[in-house]
């Protein structure tokens, strides 16, 4: 249990007006959560302070060797007017999985969740209420030792910032075009692919730029060894509906274990679908598309929740999925998950829709 000191801002900012387009990750609230780690002392000085600049020396280790991790989740205004999170315990667990891989000290799961609840509660009036909008929560840790040697840092900062964000699809759920990347790779087994850390994104930018130049909105990565098996999309896991079955790449160490992915697998099983977590080759996909067995393709992630895929490009082929529109399973998953998040649909599991006041 953290003892959190709260220092409220003397100069609250103007909040975005209802109806104002928010975009993603551009507006920040009045406060942030900050906590320090010092070797020998552990995590200390938990505090909520006015959102603002942090001062670091140019020698701070995070700038040089990338010892850092992040998480991402959203807060929603429930139908009862209170603030809710979606499965924050899963973010706390995954944060520590990333921490282990990156030699960053663990944060007890209950402290991680407590920090998020506390700062969201302080800034709960910033949670937007237009349909599809939410307050994006970004916890992250950076290595702060002033040292140019390659070693785990002995000091860290854990910070949680909040950003009111617009509906991912301004004009409703929209199918995206995806570029299957056949040159660059994102991660390999044994590497850091399963950790939520900046380095994975730095490695992905070049392919993202290429895909955008070619008119595709996201990159789908193949495995780093054979460049043959499907891994995941930029910041989303990927699902296929093939001959009535729901198929998704298994977690092999190079794929980010998405909380939306986990939620979709749980829901699909409970709806009676056969769900397979296994290796899927790009050749199998092409075959399935040719024979008409490939019924739906969708990405899953916190930002878009469910992102239907209308077309997939691989080398010289562009596969159109179904009629290029939104499949019924994609639509039902989107409606159910966003419904549980907002409280409009009753949480079937009891611990997915979590009030920040509990
Ligand atoms: C965060 C992330 C995802 C999606 O995870 P969710 O918990 O569902 O938001 C998928 N892939 C990558 C690379 C990510 O960073």
């Amino acid at each position: 249990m953290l003892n959190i000191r709260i220092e409220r801002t003397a100069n609250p900012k103007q909040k975005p007006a209802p109806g104002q387009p928010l975009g993603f990750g551009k507006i920040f609230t009045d406060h942030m959560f900050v906590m320090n780690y010092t070797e020998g002392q552990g995590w200390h000085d938990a505090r909520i302070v006015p959102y603002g600049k942090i001062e670091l020396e140019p020698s701070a280790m995070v700038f040089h060797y990338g010892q850092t991790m992040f998480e991402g989740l959203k807060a929603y205004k429930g139908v009862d007017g209170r603030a809710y999170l979606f499965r924050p315990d899963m973010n706390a667990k995954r944060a520590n999985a990333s921490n282990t891989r990156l030699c960053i000290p663990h944060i007890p799961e209950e402290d991680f969740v407590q920090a998020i609840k506390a700062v969201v509660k302080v800034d709960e009036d910033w949670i937007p209420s237009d349909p599809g909008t939410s307050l994006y929560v970004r916890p992250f840790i950076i290595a702060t030792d002033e040292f140019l040697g390659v070693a785990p840092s002995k000091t860290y900062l854990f910070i949680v910032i909040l950003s009111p964000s617009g509906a991912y699809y301004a004009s409703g759920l929209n199918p995206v075009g995806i570029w299957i990347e056949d040159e660059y790779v994102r991660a390999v087994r044994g590497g850091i692919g399963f950790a939520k850390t900046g380095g994975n994104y730095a490695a992905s930018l070049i392919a993202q730029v290429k895909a955008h130049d070619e008119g595709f909105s996201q990159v789908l990565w193949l495995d780093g060894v054979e460049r043959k098996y499907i891994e995941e999309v930029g910041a989303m896991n990927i699902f296929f509906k093939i001959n009535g079955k729901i198929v998704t790449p298994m977690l092999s160490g190079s794929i980010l274990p998405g909380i939306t992915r986990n939620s979709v697998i749980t829901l699909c099983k409970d709806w009676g679908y056969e769900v397979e977590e296994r290796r899927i080759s790009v050749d199998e996909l092409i075959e399935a598309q040719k024979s008409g067995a490939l019924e739906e393709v969708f990405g899953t992630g916190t930002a878009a929740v469910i992102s239907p895929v209308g077309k997939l490009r691989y080398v010289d082929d562009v596969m159109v999925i179904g009629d290029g529109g939104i499949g019924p399973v994609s639509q039902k998953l989107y409606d159910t998950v966003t419904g549980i998040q907002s409280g409009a649909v009753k949480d079937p599991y009891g611990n997915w829709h979590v009030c920040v006041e509990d």
Side-chain angles (χ1 to χ4, degrees):
M1 183 80 175
L2 298 170
N3 182 13
I4 305 174
R5 176 174 69 80
I6 300 180
E7 178 194 332
R8 283 176 194 272
T9 180
N11 304 298
K13 294 183 268 196
Q14 177 92 47
K15 294 183 184 68
Q20 178 183 329
L22 299 169
F24 176 78
K26 290 188 285 200
I27 303 167
F28 299 96
T29 66
D30 281 326
H31 298 90
M32 60 183 179
F33 176 91
V34 184
M35 178 162 76
N36 296 71
Y37 180 89
T38 311
E39 196 178 68
Q41 198 181 351
W43 291 105
H44 60 91
D45 285 294
R47 57 204 185 268
I48 290 168
V49 293
Y51 177 89
K53 293 181 179 157
I54 55 171
E55 203 165 76
L56 293 171
E57 297 230 359
S59 59
M61 288 181 85
V62 65
F63 296 133
H64 306 277
Y65 310 122
Q67 199 193 7
T68 176
M69 61 74 63
F70 69 93
E71 271 300 326
L73 66 160
K74 287 172 169 177
Y76 311 82
K77 200 42 92 65
V79 281
D80 60 1
R82 299 196 299 167
Y84 286 85
L85 302 165
F86 184 71
R87 309 189 73 186
D89 55 309
M90 296 285 283
N91 295 92
K93 282 196 187 73
R94 187 172 64 190
N96 280 336
S98 300
N99 289 340
T100 299
R101 180 62 180 82
L102 292 150
C103 295
I104 294 171
H106 279 203
I107 296 179
E109 285 170 29
E110 54 283 10
D111 292 356
F112 183 94
V113 174
Q114 186 195 347
I116 292 170
K117 285 179 172 176
V119 69
V120 169
K121 177 68 192 157
V122 166
D123 276 341
E124 69 176 337
D125 291 346
W126 282 85
I127 303 176
S129 53
D130 290 330
T133 63
S134 61
L135 185 68
Y136 185 76
V137 180
R138 167 54 58 85
F140 63 104
I141 301 176
I142 53 174
T144 54
D145 274 10
E146 292 146 18
F147 179 47
L148 294 184
V150 178
S153 183
K154 296 178 169 65
T155 61
Y156 298 86
L157 274 177
F158 172 52
I159 302 178
V160 184
I161 57 175
L162 309 170
S163 176
S165 296
Y168 195 83
Y169 297 103
S171 50
L173 206 55
N174 257 325
V176 295
I178 287 196
W179 173 275
I180 304 181
E181 174 58 38
D182 54 302
E183 179 186 3
Y184 300 109
V185 300
R186 170 185 176 272
V188 290
R189 266 194 299 157
I192 57 173
F194 70 90
K196 226 167 160 72
T197 185
N200 287 324
Y201 282 80
S204 76
L205 296 174
I206 192 167
Q208 182 73 36
V209 169
K210 187 165 84 174
H212 276 176
D213 287 349
E214 299 285 341
F216 290 80
S217 69
Q218 306 254 1
V219 172
L220 176 61
W221 298 102
L222 298 178
D223 77 279
V225 178
E226 296 176 71
R227 281 184 276 190
K228 188 171 156 188
Y229 296 100
I230 305 287
E231 296 236 305
E232 63 171 314
V233 185
M236 291 192 291
N237 296 111
I238 189 95
F239 284 77
F240 306 96
K241 183 160 174 268
I242 303 174
N243 267 335
K245 286 185 196 165
I246 307 295
V247 185
T248 193
M250 65 194 184
L251 300 177
S252 57
S254 52
I255 299 174
L256 206 287
I259 294 162
T260 321
R261 174 187 183 278
N262 176 283
S263 306
V264 160
I265 291 172
T266 304
L267 285 168
C268 285
K269 284 183 177 166
D270 285 354
W271 291 341
Y273 287 104
E274 210 172 305
V275 180
E276 293 179 346
E277 295 178 65
R278 61 169 171 87
R279 292 215 292 189
I280 308 155
S281 68
V282 71
D283 292 339
E284 175 185 346
L285 213 59
I286 293 168
E287 277 311 302
Q289 194 266 347
K290 284 203 179 119
S291 72
L294 183 60
E295 296 157 18
E296 287 186 46
V297 181
F298 55 92
T300 66
T302 294
V305 186
I306 304 294
S307 191
V309 176
K311 61 178 181 174
L312 282 166
R313 166 273 175 200
Y314 180 65
V315 193
D316 296 325
D317 259 351
V318 176
M319 300 176 248
V320 174
I321 315 302
D323 59 2
I326 302 160
V329 177
S330 309
Q331 184 72 53
K332 185 174 172 192
L333 283 165
Y334 180 82
D335 293 343
T336 306
V337 176
T338 55
I340 294 170
Q341 288 169 336
S342 70
V345 171
K346 190 178 175 318
D347 170 5
Y349 306 104
N351 59 354
W352 283 18
H353 188 57
V354 176
C355 185
V356 301
E357 291 166 38
D358 294 338

